[in-house]
Amino acid sequence: MSARGESPFSPRTVLGMVVVGAAAFLAFLWFVGAGMTGGNTNNGQATVGGRGLVGYAAMADYLERRGYAVSRVQSKANLKQPGLLVLTPPHFINGQDIAQLVARRRRVGPTMVILPKWQPVPLNPQANPKARQGWIALGPPMAPVWNRFHDDIAIDIKPMRAGGKTARWTGAGAAGELPAAENVMSGKGDNVIPLVIGDQDARILAGYIGNDGGRTDALDAIAETDFEIEPGEDDGLYPLVFVFEPDLVNNYGFADQANAQLAERLVRASLDGAEKKVMFDLTLNGFARSQNLLTLAFTPPFLAATLCLLLAAVVTGWRSFNRFGPPRLATRVLAFGKRALVGNAAGLVRRTRRLYLVAPPYADAARDRLARALALPQRLDAAQVEAAIDRALAARAPQAEPFSQAAARLRAARRPLELLRAAQALHALERTLKR
């Protein structure tokens, strides 16, 4: 075998190309598996990814800094996990979709629904060169249209204090200001228990769904130092909280520290001592993605198998770069020449484990060679030839085994060791007669 010529690339160069390519491919798989190939959630809308006035990025960031485990959910399968689920549906959506999602959550964990109010208007980058991505201008307010989802709750938008005066809210022994007093959204219903009210006319800015009116007792409880959400008749149902005025908890309202503290109190009261886990839904905002095999590969417990596979690939690649000596040219499967032909035939017989089939032809070949060496007549048959060989062997070596017996023993042999010993004995007799 001859060695190939020197490679035009050094091992370090090839290794670097392989490592960079593999890292890029793995990064691509991870981005696909993590669902980062979809649209940008910072699109100016009222979502957890929105960094404009109507978004809730500030609320999510604040809760994370306060020790809550905050996640942005884009898979409907993850909505079945325990913890507080925060829904931020848009203005126009099928209310039945929200109703089905909330109904499934009532036995899994608490749910908070933040209603939309403002219609955002994207800023023109040419007219506003300092504007960043996701920044918007506030359009006219509008109540959401969610038919077949708590149609018993009436939504109203009207000024709380006209003439540029500050609108204030009260709840849990705290108070704060709303950023826009001219357009304040509130809700009203027989089963809506208030949590946050306006200080002027006690309109409900945030509340939860109860099993009876309970409005008088709830209004008395507004002055307490913290929220207390009472469970329903069925202890297996988790609370459903409505935030009718989104400026209490959106980025617009988070400019006031009191509003940020109010948002955490609402979350803490909804969890009611449970694990500090908050999930912001993005499926109702058009960012839902289905769970595929690639996503599962980067999700526990399948992540362990994926890491083992990657480690095996790294070890295999490293071993290929540390091979002993230069690569060799591949040899022919079937070599030229009689010796190669015999070797191939012998290898085939050995592989098929049919060595005993070689014994009769070997004995016949030895008999024919001795017949020619002793100049025996060609008219003799096989038995006569072996008898003549036995007479010649007896004359030359009386103590030797007759040729016919050695040939018969070789033809009857089946095991490799028996074949070898019989063939050696026949070969020794052949040498004795040819000397």
Side-chain angles (χ1 to χ4, degrees):
M1 293 185 296
S2 59
R4 292 182 179 179
E6 292 291 337
S7 173
F9 300 101
S10 65
R12 292 185 178 180
T13 302
V14 176
L15 180 61
M17 294 172 60
V18 171
V19 169
V20 172
F25 181 68
L26 292 177
F28 169 75
L29 294 181
W30 186 83
F31 278 115
V32 173
M36 297 186 178
T37 57
N40 187 2
T41 57
N42 184 20
N43 56 0
Q45 301 300 317
T47 66
V48 66
R51 297 188 177 277
L53 293 176
V54 299
Y56 302 98
M59 178 181 177
D61 183 67
Y62 179 78
L63 292 176
E64 285 180 332
R65 294 174 183 270
R66 295 288 295 173
Y68 290 82
V70 178
S71 59
R72 287 81 172 166
V73 180
Q74 294 181 253
S75 174
K76 293 183 178 180
N78 294 333
L79 296 176
K80 301 177 182 179
Q81 299 179 2
L84 173 63
L85 177 63
V86 180
L87 302 179
T88 58
H91 281 89
F92 300 97
I93 191 175
N94 188 356
Q96 192 173 3
D97 295 339
I98 309 176
Q100 292 176 354
L101 178 57
V102 171
R104 289 193 297 265
R105 287 287 307 179
R106 292 305 298 271
R107 295 188 180 275
V108 178
T111 305
M112 178 183 295
V113 181
I114 305 177
L115 278 67
K117 181 178 69 171
W118 303 106
Q119 299 183 69
V121 178
L123 295 179
N124 187 354
Q126 297 180 353
N128 302 273
K130 296 183 179 181
R132 299 180 182 179
Q133 182 179 359
W135 286 17
I136 53 95
L138 296 178
M142 184 183 67
V145 181
W146 296 343
N147 296 326
R148 303 180 67 179
F149 175 64
H150 279 281
D151 295 333
D152 57 325
I153 299 178
I155 306 299
D156 187 23
I157 301 178
K158 62 182 180 180
M160 182 177 292
R161 287 193 176 185
K165 296 181 180 180
T166 302
R168 298 185 61 81
W169 56 263
T170 303
E177 298 179 358
L178 292 173
E182 299 294 333
N183 298 286
V184 178
M185 190 161 68
S186 60
K188 181 173 62 175
D190 293 337
N191 292 335
V192 178
I193 310 301
L195 293 172
V196 182
I197 61 174
D199 64 346
Q200 183 181 19
D201 50 9
R203 69 180 71 177
I204 303 176
L205 305 181
Y208 70 96
I209 302 301
N211 291 316
D212 49 31
R215 178 173 173 83
T216 303
D217 295 338
L219 289 175
D220 294 338
I222 291 296
E224 296 180 359
T225 57
D226 206 347
F227 292 125
E228 184 177 352
I229 300 178
E230 298 180 358
E233 295 178 357
D234 188 350
D235 293 339
L237 294 180
Y238 286 88
L240 172 61
V241 178
F242 281 91
V243 179
F244 300 107
E245 175 50 71
D247 290 347
L248 289 173
V249 294
N250 60 15
N251 298 338
Y252 194 16
F254 257 62
D256 188 351
Q257 182 180 2
N259 292 343
Q261 295 173 350
L262 172 66
E264 183 183 3
R265 290 185 179 183
L266 288 172
V267 170
R268 186 170 62 246
S270 301
L271 290 171
D272 191 21
E275 182 182 1
K276 300 173 67 174
K277 184 176 181 180
V278 182
M279 299 173 291
F280 284 86
D281 172 68
L282 287 168
T283 62
L284 297 178
N285 302 94
F287 295 99
R289 59 181 178 88
S290 59
Q291 201 168 22
N292 50 39
L293 294 178
L294 187 57
T295 303
L296 292 176
F298 290 92
T299 305
F302 305 102
L303 180 60
T306 304
L307 294 178
C308 291
L309 182 61
L310 295 177
L311 182 60
V314 171
V315 172
T316 303
W318 178 256
R319 186 69 184 89
S320 65
F321 275 95
N322 288 274
R323 59 191 302 173
F324 178 77
R328 299 289 182 176
L329 291 174
T331 57
R332 290 179 54 86
V333 178
L334 298 177
F336 296 109
K338 296 181 179 179
R339 184 182 297 274
L341 180 60
V342 173
N344 292 332
L348 178 61
V349 174
R350 184 172 59 253
R351 183 180 289 265
T352 58
R353 298 182 181 181
R354 297 293 189 270
L355 292 177
Y356 61 88
L357 298 178
V358 183
Y362 184 82
D364 295 342
R367 182 191 62 206
D368 295 340
R369 288 194 300 269
L370 288 176
R372 289 193 299 269
L374 297 175
L376 297 178
Q378 296 183 358
R379 57 182 175 82
L380 299 178
D381 58 12
Q384 292 174 342
V385 172
E386 290 186 3
I389 295 174
D390 288 344
R391 290 192 297 270
L393 184 60
R396 183 168 298 184
Q399 75 283 359
E401 179 185 11
F403 177 84
S404 59
Q405 294 182 8
R409 186 157 53 86
L410 177 60
R411 293 188 181 98
R414 287 295 182 268
R415 298 180 180 178
L417 184 58
E418 294 177 354
L419 290 169
L420 179 60
R421 290 178 178 177
Q424 289 176 345
L426 198 64
H427 182 66
L429 293 177
E430 186 178 356
R431 292 183 60 186
T432 301
L433 288 174
K434 286 183 177 181
R435 284 186 301 187

PDB file of all heavy atoms in Angstrom, residues 406-428:
ATOM      1  N   ALA A 406      -5.060 -43.527   4.320  1.00  0.00           N
ATOM      2  CA  ALA A 406      -4.884 -42.095   4.631  1.00  0.00           C
ATOM      3  C   ALA A 406      -5.845 -41.243   3.814  1.00  0.00           C
ATOM      4  O   ALA A 406      -6.432 -40.270   4.314  1.00  0.00           O
ATOM      5  CB  ALA A 406      -3.442 -41.681   4.372  1.00  0.00           C
ATOM      6  N   ALA A 407      -6.039 -41.603   2.530  1.00  0.00           N
ATOM      7  CA  ALA A 407      -6.965 -40.849   1.687  1.00  0.00           C
ATOM      8  C   ALA A 407      -8.395 -41.014   2.181  1.00  0.00           C
ATOM      9  O   ALA A 407      -9.187 -40.049   2.212  1.00  0.00           O
ATOM     10  CB  ALA A 407      -6.826 -41.281   0.240  1.00  0.00           C
ATOM     11  N   ALA A 408      -8.754 -42.246   2.581  1.00  0.00           N
ATOM     12  CA  ALA A 408     -10.106 -42.472   3.095  1.00  0.00           C
ATOM     13  C   ALA A 408     -10.330 -41.709   4.400  1.00  0.00           C
ATOM     14  O   ALA A 408     -11.416 -41.171   4.652  1.00  0.00           O
ATOM     15  CB  ALA A 408     -10.338 -43.968   3.285  1.00  0.00           C
ATOM     16  N   ARG A 409      -9.302 -41.661   5.260  1.00  0.00           N
ATOM     17  CA  ARG A 409      -9.432 -40.919   6.524  1.00  0.00           C
ATOM     18  C   ARG A 409      -9.598 -39.420   6.264  1.00  0.00           C
ATOM     19  O   ARG A 409     -10.340 -38.726   6.966  1.00  0.00           O
ATOM     20  CB  ARG A 409      -8.199 -41.183   7.383  1.00  0.00           C
ATOM     21  CG  ARG A 409      -8.274 -40.591   8.781  1.00  0.00           C
ATOM     22  CD  ARG A 409      -7.330 -41.348   9.715  1.00  0.00           C
ATOM     23  NE  ARG A 409      -5.990 -41.401   9.184  1.00  0.00           N
ATOM     24  CZ  ARG A 409      -5.067 -40.439   9.361  1.00  0.00           C
ATOM     25  NH1 ARG A 409      -5.379 -39.363  10.052  1.00  0.00           N
ATOM     26  NH2 ARG A 409      -3.857 -40.572   8.843  1.00  0.00           N
ATOM     27  N   LEU A 410      -8.920 -38.903   5.248  1.00  0.00           N
ATOM     28  CA  LEU A 410      -9.058 -37.488   4.905  1.00  0.00           C
ATOM     29  C   LEU A 410     -10.452 -37.191   4.365  1.00  0.00           C
ATOM     30  O   LEU A 410     -11.064 -36.173   4.710  1.00  0.00           O
ATOM     31  CB  LEU A 410      -7.998 -37.084   3.884  1.00  0.00           C
ATOM     32  CG  LEU A 410      -8.057 -35.629   3.369  1.00  0.00           C
ATOM     33  CD1 LEU A 410      -7.885 -34.636   4.522  1.00  0.00           C
ATOM     34  CD2 LEU A 410      -6.994 -35.390   2.303  1.00  0.00           C
ATOM     35  N   ARG A 411     -10.955 -38.082   3.501  1.00  0.00           N
ATOM     36  CA  ARG A 411     -12.289 -37.861   2.935  1.00  0.00           C
ATOM     37  C   ARG A 411     -13.379 -37.942   4.008  1.00  0.00           C
ATOM     38  O   ARG A 411     -14.431 -37.300   3.894  1.00  0.00           O
ATOM     39  CB  ARG A 411     -12.560 -38.887   1.841  1.00  0.00           C
ATOM     40  CG  ARG A 411     -11.672 -38.731   0.606  1.00  0.00           C
ATOM     41  CD  ARG A 411     -12.136 -39.656  -0.501  1.00  0.00           C
ATOM     42  NE  ARG A 411     -11.280 -39.538  -1.676  1.00  0.00           N
ATOM     43  CZ  ARG A 411     -10.275 -40.383  -1.951  1.00  0.00           C
ATOM     44  NH1 ARG A 411     -10.013 -41.413  -1.132  1.00  0.00           N
ATOM     45  NH2 ARG A 411      -9.537 -40.209  -3.031  1.00  0.00           N
ATOM     46  N   ALA A 412     -13.152 -38.715   5.069  1.00  0.00           N
ATOM     47  CA  ALA A 412     -14.160 -38.869   6.115  1.00  0.00           C
ATOM     48  C   ALA A 412     -14.067 -37.804   7.211  1.00  0.00           C
ATOM     49  O   ALA A 412     -14.959 -37.705   8.056  1.00  0.00           O
ATOM     50  CB  ALA A 412     -14.035 -40.253   6.745  1.00  0.00           C
ATOM     51  N   ALA A 413     -12.989 -37.041   7.217  1.00  0.00           N
ATOM     52  CA  ALA A 413     -12.800 -36.028   8.269  1.00  0.00           C
ATOM     53  C   ALA A 413     -13.817 -34.898   8.112  1.00  0.00           C
ATOM     54  O   ALA A 413     -14.190 -34.521   7.003  1.00  0.00           O
ATOM     55  CB  ALA A 413     -11.372 -35.477   8.231  1.00  0.00           C
ATOM     56  N   ARG A 414     -14.281 -34.323   9.261  1.00  0.00           N
ATOM     57  CA  ARG A 414     -15.240 -33.231   9.258  1.00  0.00           C
ATOM     58  C   ARG A 414     -14.748 -32.019  10.055  1.00  0.00           C
ATOM     59  O   ARG A 414     -14.999 -30.886   9.674  1.00  0.00           O
ATOM     60  CB  ARG A 414     -16.578 -33.710   9.851  1.00  0.00           C
ATOM     61  CG  ARG A 414     -17.347 -34.635   8.909  1.00  0.00           C
ATOM     62  CD  ARG A 414     -17.763 -33.902   7.655  1.00  0.00           C
ATOM     63  NE  ARG A 414     -18.536 -34.738   6.753  1.00  0.00           N
ATOM     64  CZ  ARG A 414     -17.981 -35.456   5.769  1.00  0.00           C
ATOM     65  NH1 ARG A 414     -16.659 -35.436   5.606  1.00  0.00           N
ATOM     66  NH2 ARG A 414     -18.738 -36.182   4.975  1.00  0.00           N
ATOM     67  N   ARG A 415     -14.078 -32.223  11.130  1.00  0.00           N
ATOM     68  CA  ARG A 415     -13.587 -31.127  11.952  1.00  0.00           C
ATOM     69  C   ARG A 415     -12.280 -30.565  11.385  1.00  0.00           C
ATOM     70  O   ARG A 415     -11.509 -31.297  10.770  1.00  0.00           O
ATOM     71  CB  ARG A 415     -13.374 -31.581  13.390  1.00  0.00           C
ATOM     72  CG  ARG A 415     -14.675 -32.040  14.067  1.00  0.00           C
ATOM     73  CD  ARG A 415     -14.403 -32.476  15.488  1.00  0.00           C
ATOM     74  NE  ARG A 415     -15.643 -32.909  16.143  1.00  0.00           N
ATOM     75  CZ  ARG A 415     -15.709 -33.376  17.378  1.00  0.00           C
ATOM     76  NH1 ARG A 415     -14.578 -33.464  18.102  1.00  0.00           N
ATOM     77  NH2 ARG A 415     -16.867 -33.753  17.893  1.00  0.00           N
ATOM     78  N   PRO A 416     -12.028 -29.278  11.609  1.00  0.00           N
ATOM     79  CA  PRO A 416     -10.809 -28.664  11.049  1.00  0.00           C
ATOM     80  C   PRO A 416      -9.533 -29.360  11.526  1.00  0.00           C
ATOM     81  O   PRO A 416      -8.594 -29.538  10.731  1.00  0.00           O
ATOM     82  CB  PRO A 416     -10.882 -27.225  11.545  1.00  0.00           C
ATOM     83  CG  PRO A 416     -12.326 -26.968  11.749  1.00  0.00           C
ATOM     84  CD  PRO A 416     -12.914 -28.260  12.214  1.00  0.00           C
ATOM     85  N   LEU A 417      -9.468 -29.740  12.805  1.00  0.00           N
ATOM     86  CA  LEU A 417      -8.254 -30.389  13.302  1.00  0.00           C
ATOM     87  C   LEU A 417      -8.057 -31.752  12.650  1.00  0.00           C
ATOM     88  O   LEU A 417      -6.932 -32.123  12.272  1.00  0.00           O
ATOM     89  CB  LEU A 417      -8.333 -30.523  14.821  1.00  0.00           C
ATOM     90  CG  LEU A 417      -7.085 -31.095  15.508  1.00  0.00           C
ATOM     91  CD1 LEU A 417      -5.858 -30.229  15.192  1.00  0.00           C
ATOM     92  CD2 LEU A 417      -7.289 -31.189  17.014  1.00  0.00           C
ATOM     93  N   GLU A 418      -9.124 -32.502  12.475  1.00  0.00           N
ATOM     94  CA  GLU A 418      -9.012 -33.808  11.809  1.00  0.00           C
ATOM     95  C   GLU A 418      -8.586 -33.646  10.352  1.00  0.00           C
ATOM     96  O   GLU A 418      -7.766 -34.416   9.841  1.00  0.00           O
ATOM     97  CB  GLU A 418     -10.363 -34.528  11.882  1.00  0.00           C
ATOM     98  CG  GLU A 418     -10.793 -34.907  13.296  1.00  0.00           C
ATOM     99  CD  GLU A 418     -12.167 -35.548  13.291  1.00  0.00           C
ATOM    100  OE1 GLU A 418     -12.792 -35.577  12.204  1.00  0.00           O
ATOM    101  OE2 GLU A 418     -12.618 -35.996  14.358  1.00  0.00           O
ATOM    102  N   LEU A 419      -9.140 -32.653   9.677  1.00  0.00           N
ATOM    103  CA  LEU A 419      -8.753 -32.391   8.294  1.00  0.00           C
ATOM    104  C   LEU A 419      -7.272 -32.048   8.190  1.00  0.00           C
ATOM    105  O   LEU A 419      -6.565 -32.520   7.282  1.00  0.00           O
ATOM    106  CB  LEU A 419      -9.594 -31.239   7.735  1.00  0.00           C
ATOM    107  CG  LEU A 419     -11.080 -31.536   7.488  1.00  0.00           C
ATOM    108  CD1 LEU A 419     -11.832 -30.242   7.192  1.00  0.00           C
ATOM    109  CD2 LEU A 419     -11.242 -32.506   6.322  1.00  0.00           C
ATOM    110  N   LEU A 420      -6.792 -31.215   9.121  1.00  0.00           N
ATOM    111  CA  LEU A 420      -5.386 -30.821   9.082  1.00  0.00           C
ATOM    112  C   LEU A 420      -4.468 -32.018   9.296  1.00  0.00           C
ATOM    113  O   LEU A 420      -3.474 -32.200   8.548  1.00  0.00           O
ATOM    114  CB  LEU A 420      -5.132 -29.753  10.148  1.00  0.00           C
ATOM    115  CG  LEU A 420      -3.700 -29.240  10.260  1.00  0.00           C
ATOM    116  CD1 LEU A 420      -3.239 -28.605   8.953  1.00  0.00           C
ATOM    117  CD2 LEU A 420      -3.573 -28.235  11.410  1.00  0.00           C
ATOM    118  N   ARG A 421      -4.738 -32.851  10.276  1.00  0.00           N
ATOM    119  CA  ARG A 421      -3.880 -33.994  10.555  1.00  0.00           C
ATOM    120  C   ARG A 421      -3.900 -35.007   9.410  1.00  0.00           C
ATOM    121  O   ARG A 421      -2.860 -35.556   9.015  1.00  0.00           O
ATOM    122  CB  ARG A 421      -4.321 -34.664  11.851  1.00  0.00           C
ATOM    123  CG  ARG A 421      -4.030 -33.813  13.079  1.00  0.00           C
ATOM    124  CD  ARG A 421      -4.540 -34.494  14.334  1.00  0.00           C
ATOM    125  NE  ARG A 421      -4.222 -33.698  15.531  1.00  0.00           N
ATOM    126  CZ  ARG A 421      -4.603 -34.030  16.758  1.00  0.00           C
ATOM    127  NH1 ARG A 421      -5.332 -35.145  16.954  1.00  0.00           N
ATOM    128  NH2 ARG A 421      -4.280 -33.266  17.780  1.00  0.00           N
ATOM    129  N   ALA A 422      -5.077 -35.273   8.825  1.00  0.00           N
ATOM    130  CA  ALA A 422      -5.161 -36.215   7.706  1.00  0.00           C
ATOM    131  C   ALA A 422      -4.440 -35.680   6.481  1.00  0.00           C
ATOM    132  O   ALA A 422      -3.758 -36.437   5.754  1.00  0.00           O
ATOM    133  CB  ALA A 422      -6.621 -36.494   7.391  1.00  0.00           C
ATOM    134  N   ALA A 423      -4.569 -34.374   6.212  1.00  0.00           N
ATOM    135  CA  ALA A 423      -3.885 -33.780   5.064  1.00  0.00           C
ATOM    136  C   ALA A 423      -2.375 -33.824   5.263  1.00  0.00           C
ATOM    137  O   ALA A 423      -1.609 -34.078   4.304  1.00  0.00           O
ATOM    138  CB  ALA A 423      -4.359 -32.346   4.856  1.00  0.00           C
ATOM    139  N   GLN A 424      -1.885 -33.570   6.489  1.00  0.00           N
ATOM    140  CA  GLN A 424      -0.449 -33.640   6.753  1.00  0.00           C
ATOM    141  C   GLN A 424       0.085 -35.071   6.558  1.00  0.00           C
ATOM    142  O   GLN A 424       1.179 -35.277   6.004  1.00  0.00           O
ATOM    143  CB  GLN A 424      -0.160 -33.155   8.172  1.00  0.00           C
ATOM    144  CG  GLN A 424      -0.347 -31.658   8.352  1.00  0.00           C
ATOM    145  CD  GLN A 424      -0.149 -31.229   9.788  1.00  0.00           C
ATOM    146  OE1 GLN A 424      -0.141 -32.061  10.712  1.00  0.00           O
ATOM    147  NE2 GLN A 424       0.008 -29.922   9.993  1.00  0.00           N
ATOM    148  N   ALA A 425      -0.683 -36.058   7.011  1.00  0.00           N
ATOM    149  CA  ALA A 425      -0.255 -37.460   6.825  1.00  0.00           C
ATOM    150  C   ALA A 425      -0.198 -37.829   5.361  1.00  0.00           C
ATOM    151  O   ALA A 425       0.759 -38.502   4.892  1.00  0.00           O
ATOM    152  CB  ALA A 425      -1.220 -38.381   7.572  1.00  0.00           C
ATOM    153  N   LEU A 426      -1.179 -37.384   4.572  1.00  0.00           N
ATOM    154  CA  LEU A 426      -1.188 -37.681   3.140  1.00  0.00           C
ATOM    155  C   LEU A 426      -0.034 -36.990   2.433  1.00  0.00           C
ATOM    156  O   LEU A 426       0.596 -37.560   1.517  1.00  0.00           O
ATOM    157  CB  LEU A 426      -2.523 -37.251   2.548  1.00  0.00           C
ATOM    158  CG  LEU A 426      -2.883 -37.848   1.189  1.00  0.00           C
ATOM    159  CD1 LEU A 426      -3.054 -39.358   1.315  1.00  0.00           C
ATOM    160  CD2 LEU A 426      -4.175 -37.233   0.658  1.00  0.00           C
ATOM    161  N   HIS A 427       0.253 -35.765   2.856  1.00  0.00           N
ATOM    162  CA  HIS A 427       1.376 -35.034   2.262  1.00  0.00           C
ATOM    163  C   HIS A 427       2.708 -35.707   2.593  1.00  0.00           C
ATOM    164  O   HIS A 427       3.619 -35.770   1.739  1.00  0.00           O
ATOM    165  CB  HIS A 427       1.375 -33.591   2.765  1.00  0.00           C
ATOM    166  CG  HIS A 427       2.451 -32.752   2.173  1.00  0.00           C
ATOM    167  ND1 HIS A 427       2.514 -32.412   0.838  1.00  0.00           N
ATOM    168  CD2 HIS A 427       3.558 -32.173   2.747  1.00  0.00           C
ATOM    169  CE1 HIS A 427       3.570 -31.671   0.592  1.00  0.00           C
ATOM    170  NE2 HIS A 427       4.233 -31.510   1.750  1.00  0.00           N
ATOM    171  N   ALA A 428       2.836 -36.255   3.817  1.00  0.00           N
ATOM    172  CA  ALA A 428       4.079 -36.951   4.190  1.00  0.00           C
ATOM    173  C   ALA A 428       4.265 -38.222   3.351  1.00  0.00           C
ATOM    174  O   ALA A 428       5.398 -38.539   2.913  1.00  0.00           O
ATOM    175  CB  ALA A 428       4.038 -37.284   5.667  1.00  0.00           C
TER     176      ALA A 428
END
